[in-house]
């Protein structure tokens, strides 16, 4: 449990795709929050001393065999509890109400009528839109519960226990499709749990820097830099904490975006004045990738080469005891790496490119408690430039998995130029921060075209731009036609060997964000 928060709330994870989103929304209200296993014991909760509990949604039906349940002792702790969707059904069923399947799954927006002036709905208009996503719902409540809100199809859209501070919401307050969701969550946290909202990132930065100094003492730390947001912010924190005893390694694998290596060198060598080691390894990576077209094979090769290059360089740095990594809270949750957290659900391919555990360094992971948006805020506070703080995520295997088919120097050059145009134009249109990831993909397809009087048979570039909260699901960005037109014209005119540009209009799922 974090040392940085004097008040916190726990989110019990019942397998909802939204559990992390709930935790982020809570932190937006300046209340520190962690995700824990659904079967955490009441004794352990008492030890952790949260101000309240939130039971997440989940895909199961409360009556199904093996459905995840919680320790009933939780309801006797006197703590405020908010159950969302499955969490509500579980509470109601556990405390004597009836849950049943509705004839049709309800999914989407619904009009909700607030029928009570309970503190949970303070400041919420009597008619408000909510987002529903459920198969079961509570059909009758025991005398212990009262209904606070209803929709046309759901008589118990919100309930509360008559004597205990226990609440249930059938809808999802954590998603943006519930416009009053933030207000409702805020009412629960501040009005019902009595949280003051004292969680501040500025304090986090100062405390983390002090703690890093204490832990590292006079030793040296190595930090791998990738050009991405997370590793840059780890390095910036360490540079503030231990200055010249930080050594950074940038493996320039030849698969980075245009100008990326240069920007990292400028920032960490010139500005932060760290001991920066740049490993120029393009030739080694390209030789190892020669002839490979299978995405997983590419990933494995790149992962292996990265470890080799990194370990070689690290061995040259004398007296290093620690290795810093930009592990974030979602990585900790998904890898099952937190003490009270849910079991692992990691997407294995994203692990490739990490470092093996036997590098004989002690790990320093100062961002373990943070979500991505918090990491970005922290980066701004540490004075990192906008270009680094707001850079879209980039996969470890880099442009290799956007160069569909063989990875060669020439094809990478074509892709890098096209990609730079996509990013430049989206920035120019003021849409870079609004989109979550925008990039070019080079396809292994030639198509016929005409240029002047000549017939061409050139490459096709796909443009991909997506909007996403968490990168687990994503919608393709509805970019303006004029912007798409400019991107297409510029790529075809300026990038030699490309005569056709297409826009990828697939959502995730079922498509993934990357093409490989
Ligand atoms: P997908 O393509 O699975 O991507 O929808 C989800 C997010 O993960 C990134 N991604 C990777 N990141 N190594 C990484 O470090 C990888 O092999 C990898 N593959 C995908 C992707 O860019 C997106 O942000």
């Amino acid at each position: 449990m974090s040392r940085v928060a004097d008040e916190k709330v726990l989110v019990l994870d019942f397998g909802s795709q939204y559990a992390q989103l709930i935790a982020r929304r809570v932190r937006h209200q300046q209340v520190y929050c962690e995700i824990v296993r659904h079967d955490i014991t009441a004794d352990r909760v008492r030890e952790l001393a949260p101000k309240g509990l939130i039971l997440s949604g989940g895909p199961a039906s409360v009556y199904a065999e093996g459905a995840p349940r919680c320790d009933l002792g939780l309801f006797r702790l006197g703590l405020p509890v908010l159950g969302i969707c499955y969490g509500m059904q579980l509470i109601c069923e556990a405390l004597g109400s009836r849950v049943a399947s509705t004839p049709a799954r309800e999914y989407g927006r619904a009009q909700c009528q607030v029928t009570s002036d309970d503190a949970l709905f303070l400041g919420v208009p009597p008619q408000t839109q909510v987002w529903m996503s459920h198969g079961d719902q509570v059909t009758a409540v025991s005398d212990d519960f009262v209904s606070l809100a209803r929709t046309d199809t759901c008589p118990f859209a919100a309930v509360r226990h008559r004597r205990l501070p226990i609440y249930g919401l059938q809808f999802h307050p954590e998603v943006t499709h519930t416009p009053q969701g933030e207000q409702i969550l805020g009412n629960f946290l501040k009005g019902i749990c009595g949280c003051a909202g004292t969680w501040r990132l500025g304090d986090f930065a100062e405390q983390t820097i002090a703690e890093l100094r204490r832990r590292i003492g006079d030793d040296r730390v190595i930090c791998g830099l990738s050009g991405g947001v997370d590793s840059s912010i780890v390095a910036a924190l360490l540079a503030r904490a231990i200055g010249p005893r930080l050594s950074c390694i940038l493996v320039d694998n030849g698969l980075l975006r245009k100008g990326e290596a240069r920007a990292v060198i400028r920032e960490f060598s010139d500005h932060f004045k760290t001991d920066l080691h740049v490993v120029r390894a393009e030739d080694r990576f390209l030789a190892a990738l020669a002839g490979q077209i299978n995405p997983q094979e590419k990933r494995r090769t790149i992962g292996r080469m990265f470890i080799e290059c990194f370990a070689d360089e690290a061995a040259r740095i004398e007296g290093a005891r620690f290795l810093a990594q930009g592990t974030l809270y979602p990585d900790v949750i998904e890898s099952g790496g937190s003490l009270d957290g849910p079991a692992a659900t990691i997407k294995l391919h994203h692990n490739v490119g990490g470092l093996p555990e036997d590098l004989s360094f002690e790990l320093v992971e100062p961002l373990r408690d943070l979500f991505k948006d918090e990491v970005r805020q922290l980066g701004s506070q540490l004075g990192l430039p906008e270009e680094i703080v707001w850079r879209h995520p980039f996969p470890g295997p880099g442009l290799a998995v956007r160069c569909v088919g063989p990875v060669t120097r020439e094809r990478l050059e074509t892709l890098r130029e096209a990609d730079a145009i996509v990013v430049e134009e989206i920035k120019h249109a003021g849409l870079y921060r609004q989109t979550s990831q925008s990039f070019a993909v080079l396809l292994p397809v030639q198509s016929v075209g005409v240029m002047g009087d000549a017939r061409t048979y050139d490459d096709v570039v796909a443009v991909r731009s997506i909007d996403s909260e968490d990168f687990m699901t994503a919608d393709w960005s509805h970019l303006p036609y004029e912007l798409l037109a400019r991107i297409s014209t510029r790529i075809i005119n300026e990038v030699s060997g490309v005569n056709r540009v297409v826009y990828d209009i697939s959502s995730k799922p079922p498509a993934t964000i990357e093409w490989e």
Side-chain angles (χ1 to χ4, degrees):
M1 190 56 54
S2 171
R3 69 254 166 248
V4 292
D6 48 15
E7 61 176 24
K8 59 186 157 281
V9 161
L10 301 179
V11 175
L12 275 64
D13 181 4
F14 289 90
S16 169
Q17 55 170 334
Y18 294 136
Q20 290 191 28
L21 193 54
I22 298 172
R24 280 171 49 204
R25 296 284 185 251
V26 173
R27 289 196 192 180
H28 277 189
Q29 312 245 2
Q30 261 85 47
V31 175
Y32 189 76
C33 168
E34 292 200 355
I35 299 178
V36 296
R37 307 166 52 90
H38 62 81
D39 55 0
I40 189 168
T41 64
D43 286 344
R44 179 66 182 145
V45 170
R46 199 179 293 115
E47 261 171 53
L48 296 172
K51 303 279 269 186
L53 302 175
I54 299 180
L55 276 49
S56 84
S61 163
V62 284
Y63 293 119
E65 205 175 309
R69 312 197 73 82
C70 64
D71 183 343
L72 294 181
L74 295 179
F75 305 124
R76 293 190 288 269
L77 293 173
L79 282 176
V81 180
L82 176 66
I84 296 175
C85 198
Y86 180 84
M88 164 185 181
Q89 292 155 17
L90 193 69
I91 291 172
C92 289
E93 191 262 345
L95 300 178
S97 299
R98 290 229 356 248
V99 176
S101 273
T102 35
R105 243 183 89 83
E106 193 181 12
Y107 183 82
R109 293 181 175 82
Q111 272 304 317
C112 178
Q113 206 183 332
V114 178
T115 51
S116 137
D117 58 1
D118 190 275
L120 190 65
F121 287 100
L122 191 76
V124 176
Q127 289 285 342
T128 184
Q129 181 188 297
V130 296
W131 182 259
M132 292 285 195
S133 169
H134 61 102
D136 290 354
Q137 68 178 25
V138 174
T139 49
V141 290
S142 69
D143 287 344
D144 286 336
F145 283 95
V146 278
S147 170
L148 306 178
R150 54 177 300 122
T151 71
D152 282 351
T153 53
C154 180
F156 305 103
V159 295
R160 85 155 283 183
H161 196 278
R162 284 184 199 275
R163 294 177 309 282
L164 304 169
I166 296 181
Y167 289 82
L169 295 175
Q170 181 59 69
F171 58 87
H172 289 271
E174 69 276 22
V175 303
T176 46
H177 306 302
T178 300
Q180 295 291 325
E182 195 176 342
Q183 176 75 25
I184 296 169
L185 274 180
N187 288 340
F188 177 71
L189 296 168
K190 312 254 165 92
I192 295 163
C193 298
C195 294
T198 49
W199 157 245
R200 297 278 183 280
L201 268 174
D203 302 346
F204 175 90
E206 290 316 313
Q207 287 178 36
T208 305
I209 287 169
E211 199 174 290
L212 286 169
R213 278 190 193 132
R214 232 185 350 263
R215 178 163 169 217
I216 294 162
D218 291 331
D219 285 306
R220 177 163 293 278
V221 181
I222 295 183
C223 178
L225 283 175
S226 66
V229 186
D230 310 337
S231 63
S232 299
I233 291 170
V234 169
L237 265 175
L238 284 160
R240 286 268 305 273
I242 58 165
R245 276 174 293 108
L246 171 65
S247 295
C248 294
I249 299 179
L250 170 67
V251 176
D252 185 354
N253 54 13
L255 306 168
L256 301 177
R257 287 167 284 193
K258 188 173 177 179
E260 196 158 33
R262 217 176 328 118
V264 173
I265 294 169
R266 196 182 329 116
E267 198 54 32
F268 289 94
S269 196
D270 305 350
H271 176 71
F272 280 108
K273 306 214 180 318
T274 66
D275 169 39
L276 176 63
H277 299 240
V278 181
V279 185
R280 306 269 176 207
E282 181 181 18
D283 293 344
R284 284 173 71 182
F285 274 79
L286 287 186
L289 283 167
Q292 296 189 349
I293 54 168
N294 177 297
Q296 292 310 69
E297 201 183 342
K298 288 182 187 175
R299 279 192 170 82
R300 275 194 296 274
T301 303
I302 293 164
R304 181 169 45 78
M305 294 300 299
F306 175 77
I307 292 166
E308 272 180 40
C309 293
F310 191 91
D312 279 359
E313 192 59 35
R316 283 195 201 117
I317 298 172
E318 277 182 23
R321 176 167 157 213
F322 296 96
L323 180 71
Q325 289 199 323
T327 315
L328 303 194
Y329 191 44
D331 308 326
V332 174
I333 303 168
E334 284 163 21
S335 62
S338 100
L339 179 62
D340 297 299
T345 54
I346 190 90
K347 300 157 284 176
L348 269 180
H349 73 273
H350 291 182
N351 257 347
V352 181
L355 290 164
E357 281 168 11
D358 59 0
L359 268 184
S360 73
F361 292 113
E362 286 175 46
L363 279 187
V364 177
E365 298 174 306
L367 308 180
R368 275 180 75 86
D369 293 325
L370 301 187
F371 285 108
K372 189 90 176 181
D373 40 358
E374 295 171 323
V375 168
R376 287 208 161 105
Q377 273 183 53
L378 185 63
S380 301
Q381 285 179 8
L382 292 169
L384 282 171
E386 174 118 335
E387 187 194 352
I388 290 184
V389 170
W390 286 99
R391 180 156 269 181
H392 285 170
F394 188 57
L399 296 182
V401 290
R402 294 179 180 172
C403 205
V404 182
V407 183
T408 63
R409 206 179 302 269
E410 296 70 33
R411 296 193 77 222
L412 284 170
E413 198 44 40
T414 304
L415 174 58
R416 196 174 280 120
E417 291 303 315
D419 186 68
I421 292 172
V422 172
V423 171
E424 199 177 302
E425 286 299 331
I426 288 181
K427 280 186 176 166
H428 191 68
L431 293 175
Y432 190 71
R433 282 219 203 166
Q434 238 160 288
T435 59
S436 307
Q437 221 170 335
S438 309
F439 54 91
V441 181
L442 183 64
L443 303 188
V445 173
Q446 268 74 47
S447 87
V448 175
V450 283
M451 253 184 213
D453 290 333
R455 209 176 121 92
T456 58
Y457 192 56
D458 281 340
D459 286 331
V460 182
V461 162
V463 175
R464 180 86 165 130
S465 181
I466 55 106
D467 303 338
S468 176
E469 284 264 6
D470 55 8
F471 299 89
M472 313 276 261
T473 61
D475 196 6
W476 56 278
S477 316
H478 294 211
L479 296 179
Y481 282 174
E482 301 71 34
L483 172 59
L484 289 170
R486 253 193 323 278
I487 290 174
S488 161
T489 308
R490 278 197 59 197
I491 292 177
I492 291 170
N493 286 345
E494 296 173 32
V495 184
S496 73
V498 177
N499 67 356
R500 194 175 295 266
V501 172
V502 296
Y503 188 46
D504 180 351
I505 52 168
S506 334
S507 292
K508 172 182 179 176
T512 49
I513 295 170
E514 304 291 345
W515 275 49
E516 287 201 326

